[in-house]
Amino acid sequence: MVDSNDMTLRERLKDSKRIVVKIGTSSLTYDNGHINMFRIGHLSRVLCDLVNQGREVILVSSGAIGIGVDKLKLGKKPDYVSGRQAAAAVGQCMLMNIYSQFFAEYGHNVAQILLTKDVVERPESKENVINTFNELIKMSVVPIVNENDTVSVDEIKFGDNDYLSYIVASLVDADALIILTDIDGFYDKNPSSHNDAVLYHNIVDLSEKIETAAGGAGSNLGTGGMLTKVHACRLAADRGINSVIANGEKPEIIYDIIAGEDVGTMFVGKR
Ligand code: ADP
């Protein structure tokens, strides 16, 4: 059976010490394109609290292009590469400024890590990145990771931050990967177009067949949609990392996830 009701699977999330959280653009911005400060504030508070609990937290945050588009009052994502890269440069700066201020309110530090695929493919730079992550975590700093949109061309792109979140989870050898989005989890059909879509609770073995239920992005600023999230979780499961796709509307849902509650869709890491 693909979707398991075995709640003991959720118990496995309880001991998660090193946690990678990914939040998507659709959770960081309102439908009108403006920044959702309330959401970012709540997320920052929860992540700081997790660090206070003695957990190790890494955030993969999208939003740079969307926030840049809003700040520059462009109306929509530019349809040419340099326009998007310029928007990302402006937006990334603003995004980090916002995170930095919220985390400072709770007495914590953040660090910016911008990656491209070539960096983690070259053994030497890969090792440097891993060492930097570990050093920051040792200092109780929360690394905030994004694709280096400003310099990335197709050849060195991760392509989407869901995949990037898997890469980060595997680089730091995370216990759990939590992907927060604008929907309750992974359904057997796209709920935006099917009223009868049913949520998967615990996926033990992800077959190609159910992966095809995952469709593209629901919002005009979102990029990967469910497909890239499910793909990232499948890769994480293969590496033995437990992951959960859940609704980021209330970032406090992270507490429920690591308490082993039945929220979102869990992809059980292979043992
Ligand atoms: P984010 O910005 O968080 O990365 P996206 O908008 O890219 O989020 O992706 C989430 C969207 O994927 C949902 O809002 C939904 O419209 C769409 N989607 C497509 N297929 C599915 C599915 N099978 N289950 C859940 N959501 C799906």
Side-chain angles (χ1 to χ4, degrees), residues 4-178:
S4 167
N5 286 325
D6 178 3
M7 285 310 295
T8 60
L9 293 169
R10 293 284 179 151
E11 298 278 318
R12 297 188 194 176
L13 289 160
K14 280 188 173 172
D15 298 325
S16 306
K17 181 168 168 75
R18 191 168 279 199
I19 304 168
V20 174
V21 176
K22 185 259 170 179
I23 186 140
T25 305
S26 54
S27 303
L28 297 173
T29 51
Y30 290 107
D31 287 344
N32 63 13
H34 295 319
I35 303 178
N36 189 331
M37 289 293 185
F38 183 81
R39 184 79 44 79
I40 300 181
H42 272 231
L43 176 69
S44 302
R45 191 174 62 185
V46 171
L47 299 184
C48 288
D49 197 37
L50 295 183
V51 176
N52 287 351
Q53 288 176 4
R55 299 187 202 258
E56 299 167 340
V57 177
I58 296 112
L59 176 66
V60 176
S61 177
S62 302
I65 297 179
I67 288 170
V69 167
D70 187 49
K71 181 140 202 252
L72 295 167
K73 300 190 170 48
L74 300 179
K76 65 177 179 55
K77 232 195 251 188
D79 53 12
Y80 55 103
V81 175
S82 57
R84 285 196 295 278
Q85 294 189 317
V90 171
Q92 180 65 27
C93 194
M94 181 155 178
L95 188 62
M96 284 309 297
N97 187 26
I98 296 169
Y99 278 123
S100 175
Q101 287 191 41
F102 275 120
F103 275 71
E105 247 179 61
Y106 304 113
H108 284 271
N109 292 315
V110 293
Q112 170 179 269
I113 297 194
L114 299 177
L115 294 175
T116 43
K117 205 166 67 179
D118 56 324
V119 172
V120 297
E121 279 173 355
R122 277 199 313 269
E124 202 182 312
S125 48
K126 178 180 173 183
E127 202 188 319
N128 280 337
V129 171
I130 294 173
N131 291 342
T132 306
F133 270 121
N134 286 328
E135 200 60 38
L136 288 167
I137 289 166
K138 227 193 285 170
M139 295 169 168
S140 297
V141 174
V142 175
I144 301 185
V145 189
N146 197 1
E147 169 124 44
N148 195 352
D149 288 317
T150 307
V151 302
S152 60
V153 290
D154 283 346
E155 294 71 35
I156 58 167
K157 249 191 195 159
F158 292 105
D160 66 84
N161 272 5
D162 298 312
Y163 180 57
L164 176 60
S165 71
Y166 152 71
I167 294 288
V168 171
S170 58
L171 284 177
V172 302
D173 208 5
D175 300 310
L177 168 63
I178 298 175

Side-chain angles (χ1 to χ4, degrees), residues 22 24-26 181-182 185 187 189-192 213 215-218 225-226 229:
K22 185 259 170 179
T25 305
S26 54
T181 183
D182 62 352
Y187 289 77
K189 317 179 187 68
N190 186 349
S192 329
M226 195 47 59
K229 292 175 206 353

Side-chain angles (χ1 to χ4, degrees), residues 180-199:
L180 298 177
T181 183
D182 62 352
I183 200 152
D184 286 344
F186 175 40
Y187 289 77
D188 64 345
K189 317 179 187 68
N190 186 349
S192 329
S193 44
H194 296 88
N195 290 335
D196 60 341
V198 178
L199 181 72

